[in-house]
Amino acid sequence: MRRSEAMQGVRVARFANAFDRWNRSDLTQAEAAELLGMSERTFRRMCRRYEEDGETGLLDRRLGRPSPKRMPADDEAEIARLYRTRYRGFTARHFHEHLTRDHLHRWSYTRVKLLLQAKGLLEKAAKRGAHRRKRPRRPMAGMMLHQDASRHAWVPGCPPLDLVATMDDATSEIYAAILVEEEGTASTFLSLLEVFARHGLPSSLYTDRGSHYFHTPEAGGKVDRSNPTQVGRALSRLGIEHIAAYSPQARGRSERMFRTLQDRLPKELALAGIRTVEAANEWLRDVFLPGHNERFAAKAEVEGSAFVPAGGIALEEILCIEEERIVGNDNCVSFEKRKLQIPESPLRAHYVRATVKVRQYPGGGLSLFHGPRCLGRYDAAGVPLGEAGPGGGSGASEPPRPAGS
C-alpha cells in the first residue's frame, strides 16, 4: 500500500470519529472542525458527502488520476534517449543545461533529475559529509589569485595532461587555463603573462609548495623565503605577494574548481569533437571559459578592482627564466647544451669573462643581457634572430621596476 493511500485511511477514520461525536452532541461544529484541522464550511461539506456516500465520499478524488503537471510520455522518452545516446555520464545539472539550451526543453532541473533516477540512468548523489566552514573570500577582484594544476585525461584520445588554471579568489572567475604535458615554471609564466597583460597586477598569488613555486628544504616543512625560485623572483620584482598553501584543505576553492572542470570539460571537448591539445587550448580560451565564468563566477563583495595596470612594464622580460652565466673565451655563452654567440658590438671588442644574464621565455626563445642592455636574441635552438641594435643591443633594455617594488 502506498503512503498516500495509508494516510487517506487515517483521515477517514479520524473524520468518522469526529462525525460520531458531533452527532451525539459531544462536540460543536466549530470544535469538530478545529479537531480535524479544517474550517466549519469544509466540515459541513464533508458531512454531506459522508451522509450521502459513506466512507467512499471522503476519499481524495485526485488519487489514481494522472497529474495535469506530469511530463508527457513523448518528452520522457526523448530526454531518456538524449541522455543514453549523447550525454551519458553527465551530471544531472550539466545535462539539464544542455537540455534547455541546445534542445529547448522547458522541464525543470528537479523533474529531469528525478526522471533519470527513476529510469536507472543516474545514481542518487552520496550524502554529504560534515559541514566545514569555508574561508571567507577576498572582498575585491584582484586582491588574491589562485594558481594550481590538475592532471587528468582532459582531451579524448590524448594521454593525461596538466591543466594549469588561474582563478580570482573574490569571484571564482577563471582568468586563464592552459593544457600542458607537465606543469612547471614555463607553464606558470605563460599563464601569469596572459592574466597580467589582460587584467593587470594582483596584490597576491596563492599556490601550493611545488618545486617551481618554492624551495622547501624539508618535505612538508616551511618554504625557504631566502632562496626564491624563478617564479618567486619574478613575483617579488613585480611587487606581488606570494602565499604558500600548507594543506590541500587550504586550497579548497581550487580543489572544488577542478572537481567541476574534471566532470565537465572532457565531456564538452568530446561533444565539440576536439582531439588535439592545440585545438583544446584555443577552444578553452575562446569558448569554454567565457561560458564557465558566466555560469559559476560569483559577484565580488566590493565593486571595483584591486588590479594595478601593468603599463610601461615589459612583463615578458620579467616572467621568464633568468640565470647568470660567464662568457667563455670564444665570446659565447653556454646554456643547456646550446652555444649562444654574442654578436659584434661597437661598445667593446668582446665580453670574455663578463657576467651576463640568460633569459629563457615561456615560448622557448632566448636572450642575453649585460646589465640593462640586450646583447642578442635567439630562437629555442640558440640561432640568432637578427643583427643587434646600436651599441650591441637589440633596441630593448632592462624594463622599469613597478612602483613600490
Side-chain angles (χ1 to χ4, degrees):
M1 179 184 295
R2 293 189 305 176
R3 183 174 181 273
S4 57
E5 294 173 348
M7 292 299 297
Q8 181 169 249
V10 172
R11 285 195 298 270
V12 169
R14 287 185 61 209
F15 181 85
N17 177 265
F19 180 82
D20 289 341
R21 293 175 65 185
W22 170 70
N23 243 353
R24 296 196 307 267
S25 300
D26 293 341
L27 298 173
T28 64
Q29 276 193 2
E31 291 170 339
E34 184 178 359
L35 184 66
L36 295 171
M38 61 180 64
S39 66
E40 288 186 59
R41 183 168 178 267
T42 300
F43 179 72
R44 287 195 295 271
R45 187 172 68 251
M46 297 290 286
C47 287
R48 287 195 298 271
R49 288 169 58 180
Y50 187 59
E51 290 170 344
E52 292 173 1
D53 302 322
E55 291 187 356
T56 305
L58 301 177
L59 298 179
D60 190 335
R61 296 173 183 177
R62 296 170 298 179
L63 292 179
R65 294 182 180 179
S67 170
K69 297 181 180 180
R70 181 177 178 178
M71 186 185 297
D74 290 347
D75 284 6
E76 287 187 0
E78 174 66 8
I79 290 172
R81 183 192 66 79
L82 284 171
Y83 190 84
R84 286 193 189 97
T85 58
R86 190 172 183 186
Y87 299 99
R88 172 74 72 173
F90 278 48
T91 63
R93 180 72 67 183
H94 195 185
F95 172 62
H96 183 257
E97 289 173 11
H98 278 278
L99 196 64
T100 55
R101 184 187 67 204
D102 301 336
H103 303 282
L104 304 181
H105 276 272
R106 59 183 176 84
W107 299 105
S108 70
Y109 159 73
T110 302
R111 288 279 187 88
V112 172
K113 180 186 72 172
L114 293 176
L115 171 65
L116 295 178
Q117 290 175 347
K119 291 186 175 295
L121 298 174
L122 189 69
E123 294 183 0
K124 291 186 177 182
K127 185 178 179 181
R128 294 188 179 185
H131 172 72
R132 294 177 183 269
R133 186 177 179 84
K134 294 181 182 178
R135 177 185 57 76
R137 295 176 182 270
R138 291 294 193 270
M140 184 183 290
M143 292 186 71
M144 184 168 77
L145 304 187
H146 295 256
Q147 189 177 83
D148 205 352
S150 175
R151 193 161 190 81
H152 189 68
W154 299 103
V155 183
C158 292
L161 300 165
D162 283 342
L163 177 66
V164 182
T166 308
M167 176 185 72
D168 197 297
D169 183 74
T171 63
S172 291
E173 180 177 352
I174 302 176
Y175 293 134
I178 55 172
L179 289 164
V180 294
E181 289 186 6
E182 186 174 1
E183 68 163 323
T185 303
S187 62
T188 295
F189 283 148
L190 198 62
S191 187
L192 292 181
L193 184 60
E194 180 180 346
V195 176
F196 295 172
R198 184 183 306 165
H199 300 279
L201 305 179
S203 302
S204 61
L205 179 70
Y206 193 83
T207 69
D208 61 25
R209 288 168 295 156
S211 59
H212 56 293
Y213 289 124
F214 293 100
H215 288 301
T216 309
E218 296 182 8
K222 296 285 186 179
V223 299
D224 183 3
R225 296 282 183 178
S226 65
N227 183 23
T229 62
Q230 294 286 343
V231 175
R233 169 198 55 78
L235 293 177
S236 176
R237 185 165 175 191
L238 291 170
I240 299 170
E241 180 186 6
H242 194 184
I243 304 172
Y246 281 89
S247 69
Q249 291 78 12
R251 308 194 314 276
R253 198 155 283 131
S254 295
E255 297 292 327
R256 289 189 292 274
M257 170 193 69
F258 278 121
R259 281 203 300 269
T260 300
L261 291 176
Q262 286 182 2
D263 176 67
R264 288 174 172 248
L265 181 55
K267 300 181 179 76
E268 295 286 357
L269 287 169
L271 278 178
I274 293 173
R275 296 291 184 270
T276 66
V277 177
E278 294 75 15
N281 277 325
E282 183 178 352
W283 185 84
L284 255 174
R285 182 185 63 248
D286 299 336
V287 179
F288 181 81
L289 285 187
H292 178 90
N293 289 332
E294 183 180 356
R295 169 71 178 81
F296 290 101
K299 184 178 180 181
E301 182 181 337
V302 178
E303 292 185 1
S305 172
F307 284 106
V308 177
I313 301 173
L315 292 172
E316 65 278 2
E317 297 296 345
I318 299 176
L319 297 171
C320 61
I321 295 172
E322 184 177 274
E323 295 184 6
E324 286 191 349
R325 290 290 190 276
I326 303 296
V327 180
N329 293 331
D330 55 358
N331 208 35
C332 293
V333 175
S334 297
F335 181 76
E336 295 184 356
K337 299 182 180 180
R338 284 165 285 191
K339 283 279 191 178
L340 306 180
Q341 177 69 59
I342 299 177
E344 293 183 6
S345 168
L347 293 180
R348 53 193 290 178
H350 60 77
Y351 286 86
V352 174
R353 309 309 298 168
T355 299
V356 297
K357 289 181 179 178
V358 182
R359 291 178 182 168
Q360 185 177 31
Y361 303 101
L366 301 163
S367 67
L368 287 178
F369 275 79
H370 183 248
R373 184 172 300 280
C374 181
L375 302 180
R377 295 188 182 275
Y378 311 83
D379 64 15
V383 178
L385 293 178
E387 294 296 326
S394 62
S397 61
E398 187 76 8
R401 292 176 180 267
S405 63

